[in-house]
mmCIF file of all heavy atoms in Angstrom:
data_model
loop_
_atom_site.group_PDB
_atom_site.id
_atom_site.type_symbol
_atom_site.label_atom_id
_atom_site.label_comp_id
_atom_site.label_asym_id
_atom_site.label_seq_id
_atom_site.Cartn_x
_atom_site.Cartn_y
_atom_site.Cartn_z
ATOM 1 N N ALA A 1515 -3.469 18.306 25.508
ATOM 2 C CA ALA A 1515 -3.136 18.867 26.837
ATOM 3 C C ALA A 1515 -4.188 19.912 27.203
ATOM 4 O O ALA A 1515 -4.525 20.749 26.383
ATOM 5 C CB ALA A 1515 -1.768 19.512 26.803
ATOM 6 N N GLY A 1516 -4.726 19.809 28.403
ATOM 7 C CA GLY A 1516 -5.753 20.746 28.832
ATOM 8 C C GLY A 1516 -6.921 20.745 27.871
ATOM 9 O O GLY A 1516 -7.541 19.693 27.624
ATOM 10 N N ASN A 1517 -7.275 21.925 27.332
ATOM 11 C CA ASN A 1517 -8.369 22.022 26.388
ATOM 12 C C ASN A 1517 -7.907 21.828 24.944
ATOM 13 O O ASN A 1517 -8.705 21.917 24.010
ATOM 14 C CB ASN A 1517 -9.053 23.398 26.487
ATOM 15 C CG ASN A 1517 -9.728 23.565 27.809
ATOM 16 O OD1 ASN A 1517 -10.282 22.608 28.378
ATOM 17 N ND2 ASN A 1517 -9.674 24.786 28.368
ATOM 18 N N LYS A 1518 -6.636 21.521 24.742
ATOM 19 C CA LYS A 1518 -6.087 21.328 23.407
ATOM 20 C C LYS A 1518 -6.248 19.881 22.958
ATOM 21 O O LYS A 1518 -5.769 18.986 23.647
ATOM 22 C CB LYS A 1518 -4.602 21.732 23.364
ATOM 23 C CG LYS A 1518 -3.907 21.455 22.033
ATOM 24 C CD LYS A 1518 -2.418 21.720 22.165
ATOM 25 C CE LYS A 1518 -1.671 21.326 20.920
ATOM 26 N NZ LYS A 1518 -1.689 19.858 20.713
ATOM 27 N N ASP A 1519 -6.901 19.657 21.829
ATOM 28 C CA ASP A 1519 -7.029 18.331 21.273
ATOM 29 C C ASP A 1519 -5.694 17.928 20.646
ATOM 30 O O ASP A 1519 -4.829 18.755 20.370
ATOM 31 C CB ASP A 1519 -8.131 18.254 20.228
ATOM 32 C CG ASP A 1519 -8.534 16.836 19.879
ATOM 33 O OD1 ASP A 1519 -8.027 15.901 20.534
ATOM 34 O OD2 ASP A 1519 -9.320 16.686 18.922
ATOM 35 N N GLU A 1520 -5.533 16.644 20.449
ATOM 36 C CA GLU A 1520 -4.333 16.143 19.816
ATOM 37 C C GLU A 1520 -4.175 16.738 18.412
ATOM 38 O O GLU A 1520 -5.125 16.774 17.654
ATOM 39 C CB GLU A 1520 -4.466 14.611 19.749
ATOM 40 C CG GLU A 1520 -3.302 13.909 19.146
ATOM 41 C CD GLU A 1520 -3.583 12.423 19.116
ATOM 42 O OE1 GLU A 1520 -3.664 11.813 20.181
ATOM 43 O OE2 GLU A 1520 -3.769 11.873 18.004
ATOM 44 N N GLY A 1521 -2.990 17.202 18.110
ATOM 45 C CA GLY A 1521 -2.751 17.792 16.804
ATOM 46 C C GLY A 1521 -2.168 16.822 15.814
ATOM 47 O O GLY A 1521 -1.714 15.731 16.159
ATOM 48 N N ALA A 1522 -2.136 17.220 14.533
ATOM 49 C CA ALA A 1522 -1.532 16.398 13.489
ATOM 50 C C ALA A 1522 -0.026 16.305 13.748
ATOM 51 O O ALA A 1522 0.612 17.247 14.222
ATOM 52 C CB ALA A 1522 -1.796 17.015 12.111
ATOM 53 N N GLY A 1523 0.542 15.172 13.401
ATOM 54 C CA GLY A 1523 1.966 14.924 13.615
ATOM 55 C C GLY A 1523 2.866 15.645 12.644
ATOM 56 O O GLY A 1523 4.070 15.721 12.844
ATOM 57 N N ASP A 1524 2.293 16.221 11.566
ATOM 58 C CA ASP A 1524 3.068 16.999 10.625
ATOM 59 C C ASP A 1524 2.102 17.719 9.710
ATOM 60 O O ASP A 1524 0.903 17.390 9.670
ATOM 61 C CB ASP A 1524 3.981 16.078 9.820
ATOM 62 C CG ASP A 1524 5.149 16.820 9.167
ATOM 63 O OD1 ASP A 1524 5.177 18.077 9.256
ATOM 64 O OD2 ASP A 1524 6.045 16.152 8.624
ATOM 65 N N GLN A 1525 2.631 18.694 8.993
ATOM 66 C CA GLN A 1525 1.813 19.293 7.959
ATOM 67 C C GLN A 1525 1.762 18.376 6.762
ATOM 68 O O GLN A 1525 2.561 17.448 6.663
ATOM 69 C CB GLN A 1525 2.386 20.636 7.539
ATOM 70 C CG GLN A 1525 3.690 20.515 6.725
ATOM 71 C CD GLN A 1525 4.198 21.848 6.225
ATOM 72 O OE1 GLN A 1525 4.218 22.790 6.957
ATOM 73 N NE2 GLN A 1525 4.581 21.891 4.978
ATOM 74 N N GLY A 1526 0.836 18.604 5.847
ATOM 75 C CA GLY A 1526 0.843 17.790 4.651
ATOM 76 C C GLY A 1526 -0.509 17.683 3.990
ATOM 77 O O GLY A 1526 -1.541 18.108 4.527
#
Side-chain angles (χ1 to χ4, degrees):
N1517 294 324
K1518 175 186 173 295
D1519 194 8
E1520 181 181 293
D1524 202 352
Q1525 70 176 46

